[in-house]
Amino acid sequence: MYPRLVMDIEKLRSNIDAVAEIASGRGGCSLMIVTKALCADEKIVGMIAAHPAVSYIADSRIQNIKKNSDIIRAEGKESVLLRLPMASEIEDVVKYADISFNSELATVEMLDEEAGRQGRTHKVVLMVDVGDLREGIFFKNEEEILETARRINDMKNVELFGLGVNLTCYGAIIPKYDNLSTLCGIAEKIEAAVGVKLSMISGGNSSSIYLVDKGELPERINNLRLGEAFLLGNDTAYGTRLPRTEDDAITVEAQIIELKEKPSLPIGEVGVDAFGQKPYYEDRGVIKRAILAIGQQDMDRDSMYPVDDRIDVLGASSDHMLLDVTKADYKVGDIVTFKLGYGSVLKAATSPYVEKAYK
Ligand SMILES: *Cc1c(COP(=O)(O)O)cnc(C)c1O
């Protein structure tokens, strides 16, 4: 069945080798591999958990951790919940995640109480916001950070495991020596004021890995959390390819359901498209137009790159994708293959209408 998302397990493994060489080799960081973009596909998580360079497996959804917690623990790895826990999921967080990222004392108090009930110790990474303005206690509120760390450290069933920062997500702020050093400075203040040794200082996601080769990752950063870097081989700070990675470990294949010569400009008064956008059309004269049975419910049209460079993407509605195949020789029923950007990986992995396949 098409469309299908094809995950090449060997290429993904070799991409992990490549990012591990950078992060844990030259960077001296433990490796946390992030599985959310593939909905924590069990086969892929199995490969990741068995990879000797990976210490932590992380996801933003507790459902994804829950379905894989046995595989992860059987390989002696730790599972990490990246998104701040909801009050309504505390029981599962304590049961299935070994570590969670937190910024709210009230939530950590619930985790402590629940961990006591379950007879477990739960590890907490305290998030600090150094300017991207998503999660974390704002770095200028030093009193709040120290007080929160002190209170967590006093709890019986949670351990203050470390500090974390997230960047280049909401505010698109790029990690630098300076803003990551702010995090390290805060870590040292906490250690001095609270009398605790912080085991993990997690210095960001795939946008931080470029700092390793520049020699600009601060010394105390000892963990990186990588999703897109191993999925697509991207440094997401500046959009460069990471050395020795493949960009086609994940592809989408879709089938042609109509192939006709038609004009490139629609005829009649132009309103708005299926998503309320005013479309733009380039006049290419009469062209050979292919319709694929895949749409924006299954992918993001701006991050679908045809492997065949004779094909141009014209656009997509919910269930249809339009291509200009004038320069190529396709027929109805043929399969078109795409490399993907992050948005399309996420949507294709999430859509129940997209088959999942492996090679
Ligand atoms: C999604 C996420 C990551 C991974 O991001 P990539 O850019 O895919 O490497 C890391 N940390 C947090 C908190 C996340 O939410």
Side-chain angles (χ1 to χ4, degrees), residues 17 36 41 47 82 115 126 129 136 155 163 166 183 195 200-201 204 225 232 236 243 290 301 304 329 343:
D17 295 342
K36 65 192 182 202
D41 176 274
M47 177 276 287
L82 293 173
L126 185 61
D129 178 359
M155 292 178 193
L163 290 192
N166 196 61
L183 181 73
M200 175 183 284
I201 313 291
R225 315 182 300 271
L232 301 171
T236 58
R301 70 175 180 199
M304 293 281 281
D329 46 0

mmCIF file of all heavy atoms in Angstrom, residues 17 36 41 47 82 115 126 129 136 155 163 166 183 195 200-201 204 225 232 236 243 290 301 304 329 343:
data_model
loop_
_atom_site.group_PDB
_atom_site.id
_atom_site.type_symbol
_atom_site.label_atom_id
_atom_site.label_comp_id
_atom_site.label_asym_id
_atom_site.label_seq_id
_atom_site.Cartn_x
_atom_site.Cartn_y
_atom_site.Cartn_z
ATOM 1 N N ASP A 17 26.115 6.573 14.454
ATOM 2 C CA ASP A 17 27.587 6.471 14.553
ATOM 3 C C ASP A 17 28.217 7.837 14.302
ATOM 4 O O ASP A 17 29.131 8.258 15.010
ATOM 5 C CB ASP A 17 28.151 5.500 13.490
ATOM 6 C CG ASP A 17 27.705 4.060 13.709
ATOM 7 O OD1 ASP A 17 27.257 3.739 14.822
ATOM 8 O OD2 ASP A 17 27.818 3.263 12.746
ATOM 9 N N LYS A 36 10.782 11.343 18.917
ATOM 10 C CA LYS A 36 9.397 11.800 18.713
ATOM 11 C C LYS A 36 9.019 11.972 17.253
ATOM 12 O O LYS A 36 7.871 11.740 16.883
ATOM 13 C CB LYS A 36 9.161 13.096 19.479
ATOM 14 C CG LYS A 36 9.982 14.276 18.965
ATOM 15 C CD LYS A 36 9.923 15.448 19.944
ATOM 16 C CE LYS A 36 10.691 16.620 19.389
ATOM 17 N NZ LYS A 36 11.124 17.552 20.432
ATOM 18 N N ASP A 41 8.848 4.803 16.756
ATOM 19 C CA ASP A 41 8.656 3.524 16.064
ATOM 20 C C ASP A 41 9.464 2.420 16.777
ATOM 21 O O ASP A 41 10.656 2.574 17.024
ATOM 22 C CB ASP A 41 9.140 3.690 14.619
ATOM 23 C CG ASP A 41 9.061 2.383 13.856
ATOM 24 O OD1 ASP A 41 10.020 1.586 13.929
ATOM 25 O OD2 ASP A 41 8.027 2.171 13.206
ATOM 26 N N MET A 47 16.708 -0.460 17.638
ATOM 27 C CA MET A 47 18.059 -0.233 17.115
ATOM 28 C C MET A 47 18.800 0.803 17.971
ATOM 29 O O MET A 47 19.962 0.611 18.324
ATOM 30 C CB MET A 47 17.953 0.232 15.649
ATOM 31 C CG MET A 47 19.267 0.571 14.971
ATOM 32 S SD MET A 47 19.838 2.250 15.299
ATOM 33 C CE MET A 47 18.688 3.212 14.309
ATOM 34 N N LEU A 82 10.810 14.587 27.614
ATOM 35 C CA LEU A 82 11.332 15.918 27.299
ATOM 36 C C LEU A 82 10.341 17.023 27.601
ATOM 37 O O LEU A 82 10.700 18.102 28.055
ATOM 38 C CB LEU A 82 11.684 16.007 25.808
ATOM 39 C CG LEU A 82 12.829 15.150 25.318
ATOM 40 C CD1 LEU A 82 12.906 15.246 23.799
ATOM 41 C CD2 LEU A 82 14.134 15.593 25.942
ATOM 42 N N ALA A 115 6.270 9.121 43.141
ATOM 43 C CA ALA A 115 7.434 8.227 43.192
ATOM 44 C C ALA A 115 7.468 7.507 44.542
ATOM 45 O O ALA A 115 7.776 6.311 44.607
ATOM 46 C CB ALA A 115 8.718 9.011 42.949
ATOM 47 N N LEU A 126 16.235 20.133 35.654
ATOM 48 C CA LEU A 126 15.594 21.440 35.777
ATOM 49 C C LEU A 126 15.919 22.264 34.531
ATOM 50 O O LEU A 126 17.079 22.448 34.177
ATOM 51 C CB LEU A 126 16.116 22.130 37.042
ATOM 52 C CG LEU A 126 15.469 23.468 37.413
ATOM 53 C CD1 LEU A 126 13.980 23.318 37.685
ATOM 54 C CD2 LEU A 126 16.176 24.053 38.643
ATOM 55 N N ASP A 129 15.696 28.732 30.919
ATOM 56 C CA ASP A 129 15.481 29.413 29.638
ATOM 57 C C ASP A 129 16.507 30.536 29.507
ATOM 58 O O ASP A 129 16.512 31.461 30.302
ATOM 59 C CB ASP A 129 14.049 29.970 29.628
ATOM 60 C CG ASP A 129 13.721 30.741 28.358
ATOM 61 O OD1 ASP A 129 14.598 30.863 27.476
ATOM 62 O OD2 ASP A 129 12.580 31.221 28.259
ATOM 63 N N GLY A 136 11.305 26.536 30.754
ATOM 64 C CA GLY A 136 12.443 26.778 31.634
ATOM 65 C C GLY A 136 12.274 28.024 32.472
ATOM 66 O O GLY A 136 11.562 28.948 32.090
ATOM 67 N N MET A 155 13.697 17.001 48.406
ATOM 68 C CA MET A 155 12.633 15.995 48.295
ATOM 69 C C MET A 155 13.209 14.588 48.421
ATOM 70 O O MET A 155 14.356 14.345 48.046
ATOM 71 C CB MET A 155 11.897 16.144 46.957
ATOM 72 C CG MET A 155 11.092 17.435 46.892
ATOM 73 S SD MET A 155 10.278 17.598 45.282
ATOM 74 C CE MET A 155 9.788 19.325 45.369
ATOM 75 N N LEU A 163 20.730 20.064 34.867
ATOM 76 C CA LEU A 163 20.104 21.234 34.246
ATOM 77 C C LEU A 163 20.021 21.005 32.751
ATOM 78 O O LEU A 163 20.854 20.305 32.162
ATOM 79 C CB LEU A 163 20.951 22.497 34.465
ATOM 80 C CG LEU A 163 21.064 23.123 35.837
ATOM 81 C CD1 LEU A 163 21.700 24.505 35.700
ATOM 82 C CD2 LEU A 163 19.712 23.229 36.531
ATOM 83 N N ASN A 166 16.822 24.500 26.240
ATOM 84 C CA ASN A 166 16.340 24.211 24.899
ATOM 85 C C ASN A 166 16.366 25.495 24.077
ATOM 86 O O ASN A 166 15.968 26.547 24.556
ATOM 87 C CB ASN A 166 14.916 23.632 24.944
ATOM 88 C CG ASN A 166 14.567 22.977 23.634
ATOM 89 O OD1 ASN A 166 15.216 22.033 23.211
ATOM 90 N ND2 ASN A 166 13.558 23.495 22.957
ATOM 91 N N LEU A 183 24.238 28.980 31.205
ATOM 92 C CA LEU A 183 23.683 27.775 31.827
ATOM 93 C C LEU A 183 24.717 27.137 32.765
ATOM 94 O O LEU A 183 24.395 26.746 33.895
ATOM 95 C CB LEU A 183 23.269 26.778 30.739
ATOM 96 C CG LEU A 183 22.662 25.482 31.236
ATOM 97 C CD1 LEU A 183 21.245 25.713 31.749
ATOM 98 C CD2 LEU A 183 22.651 24.424 30.132
ATOM 99 N N GLY A 195 24.763 22.652 47.584
ATOM 100 C CA GLY A 195 25.638 21.570 48.031
ATOM 101 C C GLY A 195 25.301 20.261 47.353
ATOM 102 O O GLY A 195 25.130 19.219 47.994
ATOM 103 N N MET A 200 24.122 15.956 35.094
ATOM 104 C CA MET A 200 23.913 16.231 33.671
ATOM 105 C C MET A 200 23.714 17.722 33.426
ATOM 106 O O MET A 200 22.878 18.356 34.069
ATOM 107 C CB MET A 200 22.684 15.460 33.158
ATOM 108 C CG MET A 200 22.324 15.795 31.714
ATOM 109 S SD MET A 200 20.831 14.942 31.144
ATOM 110 C CE MET A 200 21.456 13.300 30.865
ATOM 111 N N ILE A 201 24.484 18.278 32.489
ATOM 112 C CA ILE A 201 24.199 19.622 32.002
ATOM 113 C C ILE A 201 23.926 19.444 30.515
ATOM 114 O O ILE A 201 24.838 19.281 29.703
ATOM 115 C CB ILE A 201 25.385 20.604 32.200
ATOM 116 C CG1 ILE A 201 25.961 20.515 33.616
ATOM 117 C CG2 ILE A 201 24.948 22.031 31.868
ATOM 118 C CD1 ILE A 201 25.063 21.036 34.704
ATOM 119 N N GLY A 204 21.329 21.196 24.851
ATOM 120 C CA GLY A 204 20.467 21.509 23.720
ATOM 121 C C GLY A 204 20.281 20.370 22.758
ATOM 122 O O GLY A 204 20.670 19.223 23.017
ATOM 123 N N ARG A 225 21.025 16.332 23.085
ATOM 124 C CA ARG A 225 19.796 15.594 22.754
ATOM 125 C C ARG A 225 19.560 15.737 21.253
ATOM 126 O O ARG A 225 19.289 16.823 20.769
ATOM 127 C CB ARG A 225 18.614 16.196 23.530
ATOM 128 C CG ARG A 225 18.926 16.463 24.997
ATOM 129 C CD ARG A 225 17.721 17.011 25.736
ATOM 130 N NE ARG A 225 17.212 18.263 25.209
ATOM 131 C CZ ARG A 225 17.615 19.461 25.590
ATOM 132 N NH1 ARG A 225 18.552 19.603 26.503
ATOM 133 N NH2 ARG A 225 17.077 20.538 25.061
ATOM 134 N N LEU A 232 18.035 13.128 9.786
ATOM 135 C CA LEU A 232 18.235 13.751 8.475
ATOM 136 C C LEU A 232 19.661 14.226 8.245
ATOM 137 O O LEU A 232 19.976 14.731 7.166
ATOM 138 C CB LEU A 232 17.267 14.940 8.328
ATOM 139 C CG LEU A 232 15.778 14.592 8.439
ATOM 140 C CD1 LEU A 232 14.921 15.850 8.499
ATOM 141 C CD2 LEU A 232 15.341 13.716 7.274
ATOM 142 N N THR A 236 20.974 21.930 12.794
ATOM 143 C CA THR A 236 19.793 22.779 12.624
ATOM 144 C C THR A 236 20.033 24.228 13.033
ATOM 145 O O THR A 236 19.118 25.036 12.973
ATOM 146 C CB THR A 236 18.587 22.200 13.397
ATOM 147 O OG1 THR A 236 18.951 22.084 14.773
ATOM 148 C CG2 THR A 236 18.194 20.845 12.854
ATOM 149 N N PRO A 243 28.960 15.827 8.830
ATOM 150 C CA PRO A 243 29.847 14.913 8.113
ATOM 151 C C PRO A 243 29.475 13.440 8.343
ATOM 152 O O PRO A 243 29.093 13.063 9.442
ATOM 153 C CB PRO A 243 31.236 15.228 8.690
ATOM 154 C CG PRO A 243 31.019 16.116 9.862
ATOM 155 C CD PRO A 243 29.683 16.735 9.716
ATOM 156 N N ALA A 290 1.148 15.628 -12.753
ATOM 157 C CA ALA A 290 0.847 14.361 -12.081
ATOM 158 C C ALA A 290 0.182 14.661 -10.747
ATOM 159 O O ALA A 290 0.563 15.603 -10.052
ATOM 160 C CB ALA A 290 2.126 13.566 -11.859
ATOM 161 N N ARG A 301 4.022 20.094 2.510
ATOM 162 C CA ARG A 301 4.444 20.205 1.102
ATOM 163 C C ARG A 301 5.738 20.987 0.926
ATOM 164 O O ARG A 301 6.405 20.864 -0.087
ATOM 165 C CB ARG A 301 3.336 20.821 0.254
ATOM 166 C CG ARG A 301 3.114 22.282 0.559
ATOM 167 C CD ARG A 301 2.093 22.873 -0.391
ATOM 168 N NE ARG A 301 1.905 24.275 -0.084
ATOM 169 C CZ ARG A 301 0.867 24.985 -0.459
ATOM 170 N NH1 ARG A 301 -0.094 24.439 -1.151
ATOM 171 N NH2 ARG A 301 0.782 26.243 -0.136
ATOM 172 N N MET A 304 9.089 18.398 1.137
ATOM 173 C CA MET A 304 9.075 17.164 0.328
ATOM 174 C C MET A 304 9.966 17.413 -0.881
ATOM 175 O O MET A 304 9.675 18.298 -1.695
ATOM 176 C CB MET A 304 7.657 16.877 -0.172
ATOM 177 C CG MET A 304 6.650 16.509 0.893
ATOM 178 S SD MET A 304 6.791 14.795 1.415
ATOM 179 C CE MET A 304 5.946 13.960 0.066
ATOM 180 N N ASP A 329 9.340 10.859 -17.569
ATOM 181 C CA ASP A 329 8.457 9.962 -18.318
ATOM 182 C C ASP A 329 7.743 8.993 -17.374
ATOM 183 O O ASP A 329 8.097 7.822 -17.298
ATOM 184 C CB ASP A 329 9.250 9.196 -19.385
ATOM 185 C CG ASP A 329 10.549 8.639 -18.822
ATOM 186 O OD1 ASP A 329 10.808 8.860 -17.615
ATOM 187 O OD2 ASP A 329 11.288 7.990 -19.573
ATOM 188 N N GLY A 343 9.395 18.605 8.992
ATOM 189 C CA GLY A 343 7.938 18.709 9.036
ATOM 190 C C GLY A 343 7.263 17.518 8.381
ATOM 191 O O GLY A 343 6.261 16.998 8.881
#
